[in-house]
Every structure is written in structure tokens, then in C-alpha cells.
Amino acid sequence: PPSFSHMEGSSGLGRADCRAEGGSTGFKVAILGAAGGIGQPLSLLMKMNPLVSVLHLYDVVNTPGVTADISHMDTGAVVRGFLGQQQLEEALTGMDLVIIPAGVPRKPGMTRDDLFNINAGIVKTLCEGIAKCCPNAIVNLISNPVNSTVPIAAEVFKKAGTFDPNRLLGVTMLDVVRANTFVAEVMGLDPREVDVPVIGGHAGITILPLLSQVKPPCSFTQKEIDYLTNRIQNGGTEVVEAKAGAGSATLSMAYAAVQFADACLRGLRGDADIVRCAFVASHVTELPFFTSKVRLGRCGVEEIYPLGPLNEYERVGLEKAKKELETSIEKGVAFVKK
Ligand code: NAD
Ligand code: LMR
């Protein structure tokens, strides 16, 4: 690893910068895993976000190239790159939002839980850095298995004495993005006008679309419900198989992550009525973490909404989802406590 400090995405010759950094004019955002399949398009899209004033790109490989490339975009955010563990703390200091897509993706035949052994350690290390350098930042955790990595992050923060349940959010937005797309396709609607709540978690049967609560209200046949539920639950596997060993969803994930991060930043700014689904510490079920609709505000999660009325099909799905979720959550907690 290089001995130089972080990479400025500029010549250093610029005159006084009129782009003041800080909350009043924009937010400071770090992406951990920025050189990866998700990280690169996510970095591109966050550089385009007018709410971002400073963008820190951290990875253990290839950040110099990604940083040089992204920094040439003529948008407002100042971009800096950080390479390797010894620059993690510098990458995190002062951040308002940290987005984590670091870790290995699935290959065909694998479950998300098969990624646990590698990704659990990566997430733990990164969260230890967050606890030390930006304990008040909002964290958007993308690395799989989300059902376990979010509990890992929570345990790390608890150990460090910095845990704020309102600031830790597992990103399940891709499930909503997919559900909106697939429902629109079946119903002949514009996907931009469809909103499907997807609750539970982010793996297989823990992904539970609430088709009885779709907006605009839709009435589906049982065949359509079976098809849609199955396709939404297996959307990730559909991409893994199509990529045939070259990874999992990266482009649609970057899109979903940016939508979610933008919602978090608008909440931080104080915009009203920002509601998204996310996997958070929760009391809506007996489980300690659960995905449901949450309202985002200046402190992160400001309200967690109840699940609303479920039909029999959804109630059965919920019971199955909770069983698997419980195991995944316990596995994450045990990893840090051991
Ligand atoms: P990738 O392999 O293309 O990129 C991962 C990046 O993480 C690489 O650049 C790698 O160098 C970096 N990395 C590895 N260890 C690191 C560390 N200790 N610190 C910082 N960076 C590190 O993988 P990808 O396709 O971008 O997927 C990343 C993760 O996101 C996977 O775990 C995948 O399963 C998950 N994912 C989640 C969702 C979701 O909906 N939440 C969707 C898609 C993918
Ligand atoms: C997804 O839903 O696309 C991600 O969780 C990646 C995967 O492994 O399916």
C-alpha cells in the first residue's frame, strides 16, 4: 500500500474553493468498497447528487483509478480516494453518511448466507472504524447477508458504546425496486407510479412483498400473486444466474442504493414525509431487526410504521420469514459476541 495520504481528485492548484463543505451546503458521504461492481456505479451516481459536497471513495484495491476517473465529472462534490486499511480512519472522519457495499458477491448455486464467513469480518472491521471516526454517521449497509451483517454492525457499535438504532439501516431497496418493476409489468402500469412495500429481510423467503398494500391498489389473481412473490424473492438469484459466475446485481443495486441514500440525505436535511423500506432495529415483530416502512429524518429513522393489515397468504409468508430471519440475526450477533 502507498505511503501517500489520500488521493485528491484534483491538481491542488485550484484557487479558493467556493464550495463550502458541511451540512449547510451539502453532506459528506463515504463509500466503502467503492472500486467494486456496485461501488463504481454507486460512486458515479453519488457524484451526481447535488446534496453531496464531499465524496470519499475507500477500497482495499483500485481506488486511485476510480477516484481520478470520477473526479473529472463536472458536478459539485469534491472527490477523495483512500486505499487500504491504514487510510480507513481518514476516509471516515467527519462523514455524515457511510454506504457499505464492500464484500464478496454470490456465484451461481450459493445462498447469501454462504458469503457470511468472508463478509462478516469485513463488515466488522469497517464498523469498528465507523464507531471510532464518525459514530454519528448514518450507515447504509449493503454487504450480504444483510440479515446478519446489520446485527453484526449493531453489536460492534454496542461494544464501542456508540450504537444508535436510528442510524443503522440495512439496504433492502432493491427488493422494492424489483417489486415495483415486476408488478408494473404484470399490471401494464408505469413502474414509476407503483409502490410495493416489501417487508421482512433480504434473502429468499425473508423477502416478503405485501401485494395487498400495493399503490395504486391492484387486485391480483392467485396465479399472479404466486408468480410475483416468487420472482421478487428470487430476483437476486435471477441476476446471479444470468451473470453466470461474474457476480450479482451491481447496476440495479447502485440505482437502488442511490435512491435510498438520497432519501437518507433528504431526511437529514429536514425534508418531510420521507418514507422507505429498510432493515432496522425494530419492535414491529418480536424479532430485534425487521424490514418495514420507516420515516427518515434529521436523526435517521424517526418512525417505524406497523405492517398494516396482512391477508392470509402474507401472514403465512410472515411466519416462515420470521423463522429464517431469527436464525440469521442470531448468527450475526454470535459472530461479534464470541
Ligand atoms: P465486488 O466484488 O464487485 O466488489 C466488492 C468490493 O469490496 C471490491 O472492490 C473489494 O475490493 C471491496 N472490499 C473487499 N474487502 C474490503 C474491505 N475490507 N474494505 C473495503 N473494501 C473491501 O462485489 P459487488 O458486486 O459490488 O457486491 C458487494 C456486496 O454487496 C456483496 O456482498 C453482495 O452480495 C452485496 N449486494 C447486496 C445487495 C442488497 O440488496 N443489499 C445487492 C447486491 C449486492
Ligand atoms: C440481490 O438481491 O441482488 C443481492 O442481494 C445480491 C444477491 O446475492 O442476490
Side-chain angles (χ1 to χ4, degrees):
S3 57
F4 54 78
S5 177
H6 69 256
M7 296 145 281
E8 272 296 341
S10 76
S11 65
L13 286 178
R15 296 191 183 184
D17 197 338
C18 61
R19 295 166 297 189
E21 295 177 10
S24 61
T25 52
F27 294 101
K28 298 180 182 181
V29 178
I31 299 178
L32 312 184
I38 297 167
Q40 291 200 34
L42 175 58
S43 301
L44 166 92
L45 293 168
M46 289 308 285
K47 172 76 168 109
M48 293 170 67
N49 189 312
L51 293 178
V52 180
S53 59
V54 174
L55 186 59
H56 282 189
L57 306 182
Y58 172 82
D59 203 303
V60 289
V61 292
N62 297 338
T63 34
V66 175
T67 305
D69 193 353
I70 298 268
S71 72
H72 289 186
M73 293 168 66
D74 59 354
T75 60
V78 174
V79 184
R80 300 187 188 113
F82 302 84
L83 180 65
Q85 174 98 39
Q86 77 275 34
Q87 294 189 353
L88 176 63
E89 293 190 3
E90 206 185 340
L92 289 171
T93 301
M95 293 298 108
D96 300 303
L97 172 68
V98 181
I99 313 174
I100 312 182
V104 291
R106 283 199 286 165
K107 289 189 188 319
M110 293 171 82
T111 66
R112 291 178 182 80
D113 185 59
D114 292 334
L115 305 172
F116 186 97
N117 288 344
I118 298 179
N119 290 352
I122 294 174
V123 168
K124 180 170 174 277
T125 305
L126 296 175
C127 289
E128 284 164 354
I130 292 169
K132 187 169 174 199
C133 301
C134 53
N136 295 322
I138 304 284
V139 177
N140 287 181
L141 191 41
I142 295 171
S143 317
N144 271 318
V146 167
N147 293 354
S148 301
T149 54
V150 170
I152 288 172
E155 286 304 314
V156 170
F157 296 151
K158 279 181 201 166
K159 255 192 179 173
T162 67
F163 182 49
D164 176 351
N166 300 330
R167 294 179 192 267
L168 173 61
L169 301 99
V171 181
T172 59
M173 187 79 193
L174 182 54
D175 301 315
V176 173
V177 165
R178 286 179 177 138
N180 293 346
T181 306
F182 303 155
V183 165
E185 216 170 86
V186 166
M187 302 308 282
L189 296 167
D190 180 336
R192 290 167 297 186
E193 273 148 33
V194 178
D195 185 25
V196 186
V198 184
I199 64 163
H202 179 69
I205 59 163
T206 71
I207 300 169
L208 193 62
L210 298 183
L211 296 172
S212 66
Q213 295 181 23
V214 171
K215 284 187 195 145
C218 294
S219 102
F220 301 100
T221 64
Q222 190 55 47
K223 203 172 158 198
E224 287 169 339
I225 291 173
D226 288 337
Y227 163 81
L228 283 167
T229 304
N230 184 54
R231 186 144 187 230
I232 294 161
Q233 290 181 334
N234 294 301
T237 306
E238 185 178 322
V239 178
V240 168
E241 281 169 3
K243 291 200 174 181
S248 56
T250 53
L251 304 172
S252 52
M253 182 60 232
Y255 167 81
V258 159
Q259 281 207 348
F260 190 71
D262 182 65
C264 289
L265 293 180
R266 283 195 278 143
L268 280 182
R269 184 175 66 174
D271 289 12
D273 301 326
I274 309 288
V275 177
R276 297 288 184 277
C277 288
F279 186 62
V280 296
S282 169
H283 297 293
V284 294
T285 71
E286 60 277 28
L287 296 174
F289 297 91
F290 200 79
T291 300
S292 63
K293 282 192 173 181
V294 305
R295 185 167 54 75
L296 300 164
R298 288 191 196 278
C299 301
V301 176
E302 292 199 333
E303 188 176 355
I304 301 181
Y305 293 97
L307 303 183
L310 308 188
N311 61 28
E312 182 56 19
Y313 185 89
E314 291 161 351
R315 275 197 295 275
V316 170
L318 176 61
E319 289 316 306
K320 285 189 194 152
K322 283 198 294 194
K323 264 202 187 129
E324 182 177 322
L325 253 179
E326 186 176 15
T327 309
S328 304
I329 292 168
E330 280 170 3
K331 188 171 173 180
V333 172
F335 176 78
V336 183
K337 283 205 167 149
K338 76 172 185 273

